[in-house]
Every structure is written in structure tokens, then in C-alpha cells.
Amino acid sequence: MARKVTGAKTAIWTAAAWLVGFIIFFPILWMMLTSFKTELDAFSTPPSFLFFHWTTENYATVQERSDYTLHAMNSIITAGGSTLIAMAIAIPAAWAMAFAPTKRTKDILLWMLSTKMMPAVGVLVPIYLIYRDFGLLDTRIGLIVVLCLGNLPIVIWMLFTYFKEIPKDILEAARMDGATITKELLFVLTPMALPGIASTLLLNVILAWNEAFWTLNLSTSAAAPLTTFIASYSSPEGLFWAKLSAASTLAIAPILILGWFSQKQLVRGLTFGAVK
Amino acid sequence: MGSITLENVRKSFGSADIIQGASLEIEDGSFVVFVGPSGCGKTTLLRLIAGLEDVTSGQIRIDGADVTDVPPAKRGLSMVFQSYALYPHMSVRGNIAFGLKMAGMPKGEIDRKVEGAASILNLTPYLERKPRDLSGGQRQRVAIGRAIVREPKAFLFDEPLSNLDAALRVQMRQEVTRLQKQLATTAVYVTHDQVEAMTMADRIVVLNAGRIEQYGSPLELYEHPANLFVAGFIGSPKMNLIGREVAGQFGAATIGVRPEHITVARDGEGWEGTVGVAEHLGSDTFIYVDVPQVGTLTARTVGELGIRVGERVRLRPDQRRIHRFDTEGRALAA
Amino acid sequence: MATQQTRTLGRVLIAPAVALLFVWMIVPLAMTIYFSLQYKNLLNPGEESFAGLDNFTYFLTDPAFITALINTLVLVGSVLLITIVLGTFVALLMNMPIYGRNIVRLMVIAPFFVMPTVSALVWKNLLMHPVSGLFAWLMSSVGLEPIDWFTNYPMLAVILIVAWQWLPFASLILLTALQSLDEEQKEAAEMDGAGAVSKFIYLTLPHLARPITVVILIETIFLLTVFAEIFVTTGGGPGLQTTNLAFLIYQAALLQFDVGSASAGGLVAVVIANILAFFLVRIVGRNLEA
Ligand SMILES: Nc1ncnc2c1ncn2[C@@H]1O[C@H](COP(=O)(O)OP(=O)(O)OP(=O)(O)O)[C@@H](O)[C@H]1O
Ligand SMILES: [Mg+2]
């Protein structure tokens, strides 16, 4: 800000912004607080905000009961696995489109984008039947495949927008310096694109972790990731709010942290580079 | 060693013919400059030599060996880019050393060479810095250092000085020339600045719309332009071109007279006209004279003449320095 | 950069991605089209037969379809309205010279990272529960009758949850766009004597037009198929009050096992999404040139 702003005005704006931020964040905060309450405190009216009996027993219960670890592992494996495979397919493709473009490159990119816009419900039936017939229902492999393909267009796009910002000249200079294609990718492109590659990875993990259409429809127990697991708390007899909160906090904490790290790159990734 | 031969090299992008049959012989150790207006294909021709683009047809030879299908990494040339294209994640040392590393040179030898190049270019204090912490002129030097350290067969420069300010440009111009002479390595240098071309080149290639209009030493181009395009392009201010009856009197379709070859007088012989504009540069004065039947002519006079706008003057061309061109624009023998 | 060698290499490297996405898109789509023309129910295997357009007639004339379509449009429209209006305010506020902008930013963006099932359950139980929810307590502490959200205003409840999830997205994109509004332009406008309001109308809003379009299109694509939030809160009810198109298709397919009409419904959703995608692709494509 180049302009001078009076202290009083800044104070008012600051207060307003913090208030708005707090209200938006409140449901998460409330969930986290509830996770440290006893089930009784969690239901109490009037609600207790800070002065309740703090306990971590919910976390212990959630860990023991209900195979929480299994579902967490499922989330880690499906989100991580689908991301790594997507990156392995996407990095070469994005390199090709950014640095060896042909007349059709733009069309291919837009076509990839349009595959992302196909509503999942449109293909729910065939995917479900294929999965049923091939024994892929409720398997990690099955989830990895849908998550990977579902996010592939976004991954390619994000990498493409990052690669495109690397001046072609520099890669050509490496080529003039006698670098082979492999060395050019390894010693010049990758180090320069590292921030972009990292944030693409992060965003993709986040999207895969939170995906809740395919995971709900294609997994039930053995391969169920946290999205499906948490959904099982929706049945009326499962009204254990404190435990629900503890499980939820555990389920979103890692992603919240990753997300906060990647938020700067998020806009570009989610808008396919249309807003930077 | 580093002679470069182009034989009828063509390049098209889709249906656009950008280079239309260029043949050229660049001698070992010479400094050749490509000049021409923007978009005429200078960069493209340089990139064809570098191997960064494929030729559509024709042949490129380096030291007699056909390199038309050899990838850039194997041609043994080095290039200085207009944008410098330094590796942003490497130090100055890393930038200069990269090519040597790629060639698998032992570490001790790399260090020795890098430090040698750095001292020639006054970069020694900056060896451990990243490019972003350097000034424009220093970055330029790093790019040059990266090119010379590999002892290539030839240097390729694409408008390397165009991002520098005027003073630095003059200084670097001299440094590059001196360095090239000292190393005796062939250099191909692209610019659209004709002063750079005239001062640096052993030989100049004038390009226009993908065609080589003339290839010769700076003085040849100045004294014997092969056609109207070269005549108009080389020299500043531009050569006066006169057509119609006046040219007919000289047995040509067009005649050309350089401003410095016109004598301005208040009376006597010559074309009579009215001074439209006078530009006083101190050392010289350029006057623009409207001559009926001939057009506006530019004349260059040394020092101050005290000629005012609106005054009537006589312009006398130096008869031995009149260039004559035929209807196709080709120069006629004197 | 464009020698034959690099071009060939490029084709090789891009091939796996293209092939996979092609299969991923074409095979299921073709199957959906095929199923939509069949009488096929998983409960009566072996009794498939050609149905012509019956499934479409059935699906499209089913009163539930009209209800679901209207619900879908209400959901999408309301969430868009809320997120864009509030998002603009949040973005403007965060673009003010404030202390701790980064922390505010973290708080604002957080809901976007919460998985849909978690946010739906947290809102349903901890906040909107008619007896023990925080909202109920808030209402009664100011002397009002607590609202039984999911009985009386189920759609509004779903809209609030989804809007909360998407508000960060709109805010963040609009904030990014605001930050790219040239400080000099603003200063020039001030020199021209523009006040805060006219600066907003003549400078900021036009500048935001494009990002707002992008937000509308991208959110619409996701909002058309809101599923998890409905699945864990209302299950489409009471009655059909919160059944949107995605949920209706899910019910037909995996609850009634009526593959034929679920496929017909799926194709309707594809067509609607494609109309929108067409515009988004054009906007993004124009950006590619630059
Ligand atoms: N990859 C390409 N595809 C299509 N056309 C191209 C490509 N590269 C260059 N051109 C066209 O070739 C012509 C010559 O370009 P080139 O860059 O060689 O010009 P130049 O003489 O270097 O100009 P300048 O002085 O402006 O740098 C231009 O008309 C340009 O548009
Ligand atoms: Mg050029």
C-alpha cells in the first residue's frame, strides 16, 4: 500500500476482517472444541465454550473403536497413490504441451478440461457396473483409478500453466550447452518448476482426500476412506457428537495444514489459469 | 576452426516461407552480422544454424561436415540469447560451468576454466551470486562467459545488447568485438541496429523478408549497395532516392544520393528547393529540402551553416557518388 | 524448440494422458447412452430389451424429475448468489490495509479444505440441531423459537452448508483479482475525483466481471452435482424436498437398480453440464492465447 491510511480506519477494517474471518472459521473451531468435550458436555444447553472438562478420551476411543486407522490408511493410500500416478502421467504430458506444442495442443488442453466437466452422476451407472463385474468395488485400486483419472485434467492443466511460465530460452540454452533431453528435464526444468510441481501435488492430494462422490458410491468398508467413514456417523443411532468431532478433526487436520500451505497456488489451479 | 556454410536453406512455418533459400559462406574466425528490419527472419536464420529449428530444405555445414540433422547439443556452437537465458537456480559459477559439466569435464579443469572466463569478463567477485542479484550488464557478461568457456566452433548472438542502456551498449559492443578478435572464434551476430552492424562486422548479411539482399563488408555495402533495399537500409540518415525524369537523365529508373554526398549552397548549380526542417546536432546539421519535381531531399552538412527554415538553397550531388538502379531496383554498374 | 525430434518426443509423452482420458470419457459415456436405450434393472437380470426413448420419457415426465430439476436450480442459484455477494464483500475487506491479513486469509479459506461429509455433519448436528445445536441456543437466548432446520427448511439448510463450503473459493478468487487491480489505476481514478463508491462501480466491478464469470461457471459445474451433503444430512427428504438431479439419479441407480432410467437421467445431467462447460472452455481458451 503506497498510500497513507489513518490508524483509526485501519483498526476498524482490521476488526471487521477478523470478525468475518472468525465467523467463517467458527464451525471448524466449534467442531474442534467439541472434540475435547465429554459426550454430555457436547449436548449441554447452554453450550459451554471454554469452561468444560477438557478430555482427549474421544480421540482415544476413535482410534481404538471403528478401525479408524484403517480408514485413515485408506485415505492416505488412495489420495497419495492417485496423486503420484497422476503426476507421473501428467509431467511428461505437460512438458510436451508447454515446450513442444503443435497445432493441436490447444485443442487437446481444452478437451482435457472438458472431460473434467462431465458430471460424475452421468457415468455413475456404467462405472458402478464395470467395477462390480471386475471386482473393483470397495477396493483401494478401484478408488485410486477413479480419483487419478478424475483429477488428471486438473493436474495436467496446473503443471502446464507453471511450465509455460518458464522461458523457453533457458531450456534452449541448456540444449546449446550440450544437455540431452533427460539432463535438460532433470537439471534445468525440474529445479525451476519445483514450486509449481509441489503445489500441484498438494492441491491434488487435497482434492483426492476430500472427494466424496465416488468414494461414497464405490466403497463401503474395507477400502472406505475417511469421507465414507465419517458419513457412517450420519445414522441417527450414531449421535456421538464428541466422537464425531474427534474423528472429523482428525480427518481434516492434515488437509487443512496442507491446504494452508498451498493456498497461494490454489486460485490458479482451480480456475485452470483463468485467474492468476 | 569454425567455418559455416549455408546452402539454399529454406524454412517455412506452415504455409509461411520465412527463409527463402539462403546461401552463405561464413569464414573461420570472421565476425558476421545479420541485419534487417524486424520480422525479416534474422532470429530464425540464427536458430537454424544453432539447430533449434529444423530446416525445411537445404543444407548446413560446419567445417565442411553436414550438420543439417545434428541436434543443437552436438553442433559445438554456443549462443547468447537476447534475454540472456541464465539458469535462475544456479550461481554465476554454475551457469558458466554448466556446459562443461554436460561435456563431462573433470572438476578441477572446470574450475580453472570458469575462473579464467570470469577474470576476462570481470566477473570474479560475483561468481557465487545468483543471476537475479546481478545488474543487466553483469548478466550479459555471464551469458557471454557461458558461451566462451566452452571454446565453441562459433558464437551465435541474438541481439545481445538490446536490453542495455545506450552507454553500456557502446561499451559492450567494443568488448564483444575485442573478445572475438582475441579468441579468433567465428561469430554470427544478429541485430537490427545498423550502427552495431557497421562497427562490429567483418561482413554484413542484409536480410529482407527472408531473402539475403547482400553479403559484404560494411564498406562495400555502403559504397556499392546491390539494390534499392540495401541502399535505403544502410546509412543514416537514409539515402535519398529519386525517380522520374531526374533519374532518366542519368540513364536509370532510380538514382540514390547519400545526404553526406550533397553539397548545400545558397546559389550556383544544382537542384533548387526550400528548406523545410533543419536538425542541428552540433557537429552536423541535417536539412530537409523540398525540391519541386524531385521530392524532399535530406542533406548533411558539417557544422553550423546558418541556414534557416524557408530559405531557398541549391543542392549539388557529388557526381561520382550517385548510385543508379534499374526498374527492378538492382544496382547498375557505374 | 520445435525441431522434428522434440515434436516426436512430445507426441510420445502426451500419448498416455490422452489415451487414458479418452477411455475414461468415451467408454462410460457410450455405455450410459446404450443403457439409456434399454429396459434394464439389476433386480431382474437377463430381462433387458430395447426401450427406445421410453427411459427418457419416463424420467423426464416423472414428477420427481421436475421437482429435482427445480431443486437443483434453486440450490445452484442460491449458493451462487450467496457466495458471490458475500465473497465480494469478504474479498474487498481482505484487500483493505489490515493487520494480520494472512491469518484472516487462513480462517476464510479453511472451510474449503473440509471434506463434504464432515462439514455436512458438523452443521447438521453441532450447529443446526433443533434442541442441542448452537443455533437453537442462540435463538432461544434472544427469546426466539429455535428453528428445526431439517424439518421445516431443509433446502435452506443444505444451501447454507454448501454456501459455507464455497464461500472461500469465491472470496479467494475475487481477492486475487482485486490484488491485480493496478494501484496506479486506482490513483488515477482518485486524481480524476472519483469517490469510493464510483471507484467501486466504474473500476472495481468491471475488473471483477471476468473472475466472477469464472467463479459462476466453475461453481456451477460442481454445484450441479452436489451429492455428499444431501446424502449425509437429509437423504433427499423430507419427501423430495432436497432431492436434486444427482441424488435422483443415484436413487434410481443404486437404490432402485433401474439402470435404464438412471442412465437417461445421467445423460440429461451431462447435457446440462456441457452447455455450461461450453462457455467455460471458451473463456479459458481465450486466456490461453494471451
Ligand atoms: N515458430 C514460429 N511459427 C510461426 N511463425 C514464426 C515462428 N517463428 C518466427 N515466425 C515468423 O517468422 C518471421 C521472422 O521471425 P524472426 O523472429 O526470425 O524475425 P527477426 O528478424 O528476428 O525479427 P526481430 O528483429 O523483430 O527480432 C516473423 O514473421 C515471425 O512471425
Ligand atoms: Mg529476432
Side-chain angles (χ1 to χ4, degrees), chain A residues 83 86-87 90-91 94 151-160 200 204:
Chain A
T83 301
M87 295 293 287
I91 289 180
N151 287 332
L152 192 55
I154 293 191
V155 178
I156 293 179
W157 259 88
M158 262 187 97
L159 287 174
F160 171 76
T200 308
N204 195 50

Side-chain angles (χ1 to χ4, degrees), chain A residues 168, chain B residues 13 16 18 36-45 53 82 158-159 190 192, chain C residues 2:
Chain A
K168 245 166 59 162
Chain B
F13 290 111
I18 301 300
S38 185
C40 67
K42 306 179 292 291
T43 299
T44 307
L45 195 55
E53 303 277 358
Q82 182 173 1
D158 189 359
E159 308 208 19
V190 165
H192 59 241

Side-chain angles (χ1 to χ4, degrees), chain C residues 76-156:
Chain C
V76 173
S78 323
V79 173
L80 280 180
L81 193 70
I82 295 173
T83 54
I84 286 172
V85 172
L86 291 185
T88 309
F89 281 115
V90 172
L92 285 170
L93 194 55
M94 289 207 295
N95 200 33
M96 290 292 171
I98 53 171
Y99 293 111
R101 187 197 321 261
N102 284 336
I103 298 175
V104 174
R105 208 179 142 110
L106 289 184
M107 293 196 290
V108 167
I109 190 156
F112 191 73
F113 300 124
V114 176
M115 55 177 65
T117 46
V118 166
S119 43
L121 283 182
V122 165
W123 276 77
K124 180 186 176 185
N125 293 329
L126 303 188
L127 299 177
M128 290 177 161
H129 192 277
V131 181
S132 312
L134 197 70
F135 291 175
W137 172 75
L138 278 178
M139 303 277 298
S140 49
S141 60
V142 293
L144 294 172
E145 190 67 18
I147 299 172
D148 186 350
W149 289 90
F150 288 97
T151 309
N152 298 326
Y153 308 101
M155 190 45 126
L156 182 59

Side-chain angles (χ1 to χ4, degrees), chain B residues 37 192 194-195 208 221-222 225 227-242 254-262 279 281 286-289 296-300 321 323 325:
Chain B
H192 59 241
Q194 57 151 312
V195 178
N208 177 32
L221 263 53
Y222 178 80
N227 51 44
L228 276 176
F229 180 81
V230 178
F233 192 77
I234 300 286
S236 173
K238 282 175 66 156
M239 181 188 282
N240 295 298
L241 297 172
I242 306 161
T254 311
I255 57 164
V257 193
R258 294 198 185 276
E260 53 270 40
H261 299 148
I262 293 179
E279 290 175 350
L281 302 185
F286 299 147
I287 59 175
Y288 300 88
V289 182
T296 302
L297 298 183
T298 313
R300 172 176 174 178
R321 305 261 205 169
H323 304 270
F325 301 94

